[in-house]
Amino acid sequence: MKIFVTGCAGLLGANYTRHLIEGGHHVVGIDDLSGGHKAFITKGENFEFVKLNLERRKKVEALFEEHRPDVLLHFAAYAAEGLSPFIRNYNYRNNLLCSANLINPCITYGTKIIFTSSMAVYGGQETPFTEDKQPMPIDPYGVAKYAVECDLKMAQTQFGLRYNIVRPHNVLGIYQNIWDRYRNVIGIFIRKTLNKQPILVYGDGEQTRAFSDIRYYMEPFDILLNEFDGEIFNIGADKFFTLNHVAETVQSIGSKYGYDVPIEHGPPRHEVKHAYCDHTKAKTLLKFQDNTKLEELIESMFVWAMKQPNRKVKDMEYEITKDIYDYWKN
Ligand SMILES: NC(=O)c1ccc[n+]([C@@H]2O[C@H](COP(=O)([O-])OP(=O)(O)OC[C@H]3O[C@@H](n4cnc5c(N)ncnc54)[C@H](O)[C@@H]3O)[C@@H](O)[C@H]2O)c1
């Protein structure tokens, strides 16, 4: 198949593009390198990289006209949920309007979309989240993801657009951006440890999250290329841990490699305390099996991170600064 992958320099895109090429597909990867790194993009015969900001609607249209892809895996986003109230405009441009710029040509050229939404659409409801729960996001990132979900459904009804939605959560693996101050908690803990800085846990650290290994997402995505239409699937780990446990795990792996750092606590953030999903649907219909071994996974990321250049951590330009957390002040 001819497949478009947006966000090919990011965690999901860089890993899944490699898998697609191994499977004999022809892939055009699109990324503006705002949140991913050029070094993470695959190379090879059946792959073409296009550096493009998806805000450029006409350029996106032209790319579709040239290649007429069978499927689009839309991974590109800026997934900094906690930061999204401080960068509302950027959040909606990047996560919602860029998606609209892709949905248009998918309608025109009959391209099927696999859209990665987020567990953020569920907000602070009772856990575990099942796909049939009415979304109730509590921040602009969750609103943008939910708006795209609604828009896909409308485009299906009106134009027969084919799509599926995956709501992943807390995915980990190599090619993750660990140089971002605002997202990817385990990546941040690893970077701090490598820089011999204290690991900072927001609040009491008793919030829980379930982390999953990117490797177990490949088969479900493969199935979605050809099967199902208009379906939503939660994908991620069942086993959840407190952030205190995660911080201690990174700390002890750091010590093993000669990086000893303390753990500190900062003020709590506006975030849900417990967030994890039910994955019965993905296990039943997409053969999803999560065999994540968190400690081993963190250690493999740590070893990978040790070999990376110490990339610059960038500061975002905030649109408002009211009530911004002390630890995010520039
Ligand atoms: N990683 C997770 O735990 C997780 C959890 C829930 C949802 N998701 C969703 O899955 C998708 C992939 O996540 P990820 O972890 O791989 O993210 P990532 O940040 O690692 O990768 C996203 C990529 O998109 C690119 N990008 C961003 N805005 C762009 C734009 N305007 N034009 C072109 N490229 C742009 C970035 O440069 C980056 O390389 C995202 O949509 C995210 O919201 C991820």
Side-chain angles (χ1 to χ4, degrees), residues 134-146:
Q134 174 64 40
M136 276 196 259
I138 61 160
D139 49 52
Y141 171 69
V143 170
K145 289 292 190 187
Y146 183 44

Side-chain angles (χ1 to χ4, degrees), residues 81 119-127 129 135-138 272 274-275:
E81 186 174 1
M119 162 171 92
V121 301
Y122 295 113
Q125 304 186 55
E126 209 173 294
T127 55
F129 305 134
M136 276 196 259
I138 61 160
V272 296
H274 306 291

Side-chain angles (χ1 to χ4, degrees), residues 6-13 30-37 52-55 74-79 90 94 98 116-119 141 145 168-171 175-177 183-184:
T6 69
C8 65
L11 171 67
L12 271 69
I30 306 164
D31 206 297
D32 68 349
L33 306 179
S34 56
H37 292 280
L52 177 66
N53 182 343
L54 295 165
E55 283 194 60
H74 179 27
F75 295 131
Y78 186 50
Y90 181 71
N94 215 50
C98 285
T116 40
S117 179
S118 168
M119 162 171 92
Y141 171 69
K145 289 292 190 187
H169 59 96
N170 307 102
V171 195
Y175 309 128
Q176 183 166 63
N177 186 349
R183 64 197 177 112
N184 301 333

Side-chain angles (χ1 to χ4, degrees), residues 26 65 87 90 115 117 133 149 158 201 224 243 255 326:
H26 183 95
E65 191 177 9
I87 52 163
Y90 181 71
F115 172 61
S117 179
K133 279 199 196 242
E149 291 193 6
Q158 188 169 2
V201 177
L224 290 173
L243 286 193
S255 285
D326 276 348

Side-chain angles (χ1 to χ4, degrees), residues 270-289:
H270 175 69
E271 63 179 351
V272 296
K273 186 102 185 163
H274 306 291
Y276 54 96
C277 294
D278 178 280
H279 308 107
T280 311
K281 188 174 172 186
K283 285 177 191 167
T284 315
L285 299 177
L286 303 181
K287 300 188 193 157
F288 173 61
Q289 261 193 321

Side-chain angles (χ1 to χ4, degrees), residues 234-286:
N234 293 332
I235 304 192
D238 290 328
K239 204 166 168 194
F240 50 91
F241 297 92
T242 64
L243 286 193
N244 285 328
H245 174 83
V246 170
E248 284 157 16
T249 305
V250 176
Q251 185 186 44
S252 102
I253 291 168
S255 285
K256 189 172 156 186
Y257 290 92
Y259 297 88
D260 288 307
V261 294
I263 295 173
E264 291 177 359
H265 289 260
R269 255 172 46 169
H270 175 69
E271 63 179 351
V272 296
K273 186 102 185 163
H274 306 291
Y276 54 96
C277 294
D278 178 280
H279 308 107
T280 311
K281 188 174 172 186
K283 285 177 191 167
T284 315
L285 299 177
L286 303 181

